[in-house]
Amino acid sequence: MSSSSSPTPSSSQNNHHHHHHHQRNLNRPLNKPIIIGYAHDAKSGKAEQAIEDGAMVIIWSFLHLEFDHVVDDGDASSSSTSSQSQQSTQLHKYPKGKIRTDLDLEKIRSIRDENESVVHLAAFGGWNGPHPPATTSTTSDASISMTGKQWLDVFSEFNQSNGYVFDGIDWDYEGHDDILRSPTSKFTLDTLDIMADFSIEAKKVGYIVAMAPAESYLDSSSAIIDERRPTNGTAVDCGRRFSLRLDLPPRAWTSSPRASDADRASVRSAGFSHAGRQCYAYVLARAGVDAFDWISIQLYEAYSPFAHDVHRRGMDAADAIMVRVRSLAEGYTVSELPLLLDNDSFTSTSTSSSSSSPLSKVEYQVKVPPSKLVVGIANGWADGMKFCKVEPSAVRSAYESTLAEYGEGFLGVMFWTIEEEGKDDGDDNSRLTHSLRSEFENIGLQQLSGEL
């Protein structure tokens, strides 16, 4: 049968849906948290070890979105006559979006081929990493801008040309050591819009989409931080106010009612001012929680509210995890999000409807069901003070509490980083993945033996 006699979709449509054939979905085990590990060095052998130990998702860090300034020769070679091409000797450079990474994609693909059930994601960002550019100028000084959807197309093309090595993406945009000079020590709305719009479009074409905010970037503990402060109906705890800044002092240690003078002194002597405030809530508000397969909260952020609860207030780690699970499941409100009001989940706090600016300061309820929540912990590198260490038994205990309270556990646990696995040679328990999996084997067993 000749192809002309049957209607066939155009090749562009074909390309659009092509990666469905290569796309892996997450196989969720019943009543067990999935284990997610971040990796960078594909050649170390540690990713394969982590997979053998029970990791079901490997997130490869990092990739970057950037503009490539390509010389536009006006297609002189293909169609124009020699007289026309002589006129265009003044070449214009035009920007094209591209992906930059130093990951060994070929090696990742071979790791991928060895195990059919493991999911591999591409992580964008990282500490000190560049944020995605929204606009750039051409040599003729025209401004070119790229939307989240256009950046997704750049990623899809990159992924296809690398043999569909990634099943999806993970957002990890963070701040920078140099808070005085670096442009990435604060977000722009353009960056957050790109993240949100890319996520919506990526979900439509079947990619797995995740985000991994540092705890201060999506801080659910701020909602319950102070039951004692009298409410006069006007003040919102500043911890729940959206900010683009990524160079703030850590709230739980410095400005919350529970911060002690000793807490403030330790942060001051460390010279630490690298927290954010609810910035990822904007991405959730704009894209919707359903655009994300999971949201990993980095409890190991330096001077995180979680570290304060556990190290400074002596809270049990499992209890501290549950505070976050409940606050996210039941929802907490972030105020002053600069968003267009076209959504039911927002309530406007602006008093005058000024026509000059379509952006109002709105409130948004961050609500993440346990089935989309991943608890982010550190392995060997964490010092147990500035960076919190969480025992696998505490994760398991919190998982069982979540299961009991909500009828489902949280989705999983992620850790940074696979490169740090197995420092004590040969000892299985020096690998967090191994310890987590051993701990999770027993979930639900006590309840069963109790009933028998």
Side-chain angles (χ1 to χ4, degrees), residues 33-37 296 373-377 395 410-415 432 436 440:
I34 62 165
I35 300 171
I36 301 170
S296 296
L373 178 62
V374 170
V375 170
I377 65 176
V395 177
F410 45 81
L411 176 64
V413 56
M414 97 35 190
F415 69 93
L432 180 61
L436 285 167
F440 297 161

Coordinates of all heavy atoms in Angstrom, one line a residue, residues 33-37 296 373-377 395 410-415 432 436 440:
P33 N 8.2 3.3 50.2 CA 8.7 4.5 49.5 C 9.7 4.2 48.4 O 10.4 3.3 48.5 CB 9.4 5.2 50.7 CG 9.2 4.4 51.9 CD 8.8 3.0 51.5
I34 N 9.6 5.0 47.3 CA 10.6 4.8 46.3 C 11.9 5.5 46.8 O 11.8 6.5 47.6 CB 10.2 5.3 45.0 CG1 9.9 6.8 45.0 CG2 9.0 4.6 44.4 CD1 9.8 7.5 43.6
I35 N 13.1 5.1 46.3 CA 14.3 5.7 46.7 C 14.9 6.4 45.5 O 15.0 5.8 44.4 CB 15.3 4.6 47.2 CG1 14.8 3.9 48.4 CG2 16.7 5.3 47.5 CD1 15.6 2.7 48.9
I36 N 15.2 7.7 45.6 CA 15.7 8.5 44.5 C 17.0 9.1 44.9 O 17.2 9.6 46.0 CB 14.7 9.7 44.3 CG1 13.3 9.2 44.0 CG2 15.2 10.7 43.2 CD1 12.2 10.3 44.1
G37 N 18.0 8.9 44.0 CA 19.4 9.4 44.3 C 19.8 10.4 43.2 O 19.5 10.2 42.0
S296 N 10.2 17.2 46.0 CA 11.1 16.8 47.0 C 11.5 18.0 47.8 O 12.0 19.0 47.3 CB 12.4 16.2 46.3 OG 12.2 15.1 45.6
L373 N 4.7 13.7 47.6 CA 5.7 14.2 48.4 C 6.9 13.3 48.6 O 6.8 12.1 48.8 CB 5.1 14.5 49.8 CG 6.1 15.1 50.9 CD1 6.7 16.4 50.4 CD2 5.5 15.2 52.2
V374 N 8.1 13.9 48.4 CA 9.3 13.1 48.6 C 10.2 13.8 49.6 O 10.3 15.1 49.6 CB 10.1 13.0 47.3 CG1 11.5 12.4 47.5 CG2 9.4 12.1 46.3
V375 N 10.7 13.1 50.6 CA 11.4 13.6 51.7 C 12.9 13.6 51.3 O 13.5 12.5 51.0 CB 11.2 12.8 53.0 CG1 12.2 13.1 54.1 CG2 9.8 12.9 53.5
G376 N 13.6 14.8 51.3 CA 14.9 14.9 50.9 C 15.9 14.9 52.0 O 15.9 15.8 52.9
I377 N 16.9 13.9 52.0 CA 17.8 13.8 53.1 C 19.3 13.8 52.6 O 19.5 13.6 51.4 CB 17.5 12.7 54.1 CG1 17.7 11.3 53.3 CG2 16.1 12.8 54.6 CD1 17.5 10.1 54.2
V395 N 12.9 8.0 58.7 CA 12.1 8.1 57.5 C 11.0 7.0 57.5 O 9.9 7.2 57.1 CB 13.0 7.9 56.2 CG1 12.2 7.9 55.0 CG2 14.1 9.0 56.2
F410 N 4.0 8.7 52.0 CA 4.5 9.7 51.1 C 5.2 8.9 50.0 O 5.6 7.7 50.1 CB 5.4 10.7 51.7 CG 6.4 10.2 52.7 CD1 7.7 9.7 52.3 CD2 6.2 10.3 54.1 CE1 8.6 9.2 53.2 CE2 7.2 9.8 55.0 CZ 8.4 9.3 54.5
L411 N 5.4 9.6 48.8 CA 5.9 8.8 47.6 C 7.3 8.2 47.8 O 7.5 7.1 47.4 CB 5.9 9.7 46.4 CG 6.5 9.1 45.1 CD1 5.6 7.9 44.6 CD2 6.7 10.1 44.0
G412 N 8.2 8.9 48.5 CA 9.5 8.4 48.6 C 10.5 9.2 49.4 O 10.1 10.2 50.0
V413 N 11.7 8.8 49.2 CA 12.8 9.6 49.9 C 13.9 9.8 48.8 O 14.2 8.9 48.0 CB 13.4 8.8 51.1 CG1 13.8 7.4 50.7 CG2 14.5 9.5 51.8
M414 N 14.5 11.0 48.8 CA 15.6 11.3 47.9 C 16.8 11.7 48.7 O 16.6 12.1 49.9 CB 15.2 12.3 46.9 CG 15.4 13.7 46.9 SD 16.8 14.6 47.5 CE 16.0 16.2 47.5
F415 N 18.0 11.4 48.1 CA 19.1 11.9 48.9 C 20.2 12.5 47.9 O 20.2 12.1 46.7 CB 19.8 10.7 49.7 CG 20.4 9.6 48.8 CD1 21.8 9.7 48.5 CD2 19.7 8.6 48.4 CE1 22.4 8.7 47.7 CE2 20.2 7.6 47.6 CZ 21.6 7.7 47.3
L432 N 23.7 4.7 52.0 CA 22.4 5.1 52.5 C 21.3 4.3 51.7 O 20.3 3.9 52.3 CB 22.2 6.6 52.3 CG 20.8 7.1 52.8 CD1 20.6 6.9 54.3 CD2 20.7 8.6 52.5
L436 N 18.4 2.3 53.6 CA 17.0 2.7 53.4 C 16.2 1.5 53.0 O 15.1 1.2 53.5 CB 16.8 3.8 52.4 CG 17.2 5.2 52.8 CD1 17.4 6.1 51.6 CD2 16.2 5.8 53.9
F440 N 13.1 -0.3 54.8 CA 11.7 -0.3 54.2 C 11.2 -1.7 54.0 O 10.0 -1.9 53.8 CB 11.8 0.4 52.8 CG 12.1 1.9 52.9 CD1 12.5 2.6 51.8 CD2 12.0 2.6 54.1 CE1 12.9 3.9 51.9 CE2 12.3 3.9 54.2 CZ 12.8 4.6 53.1

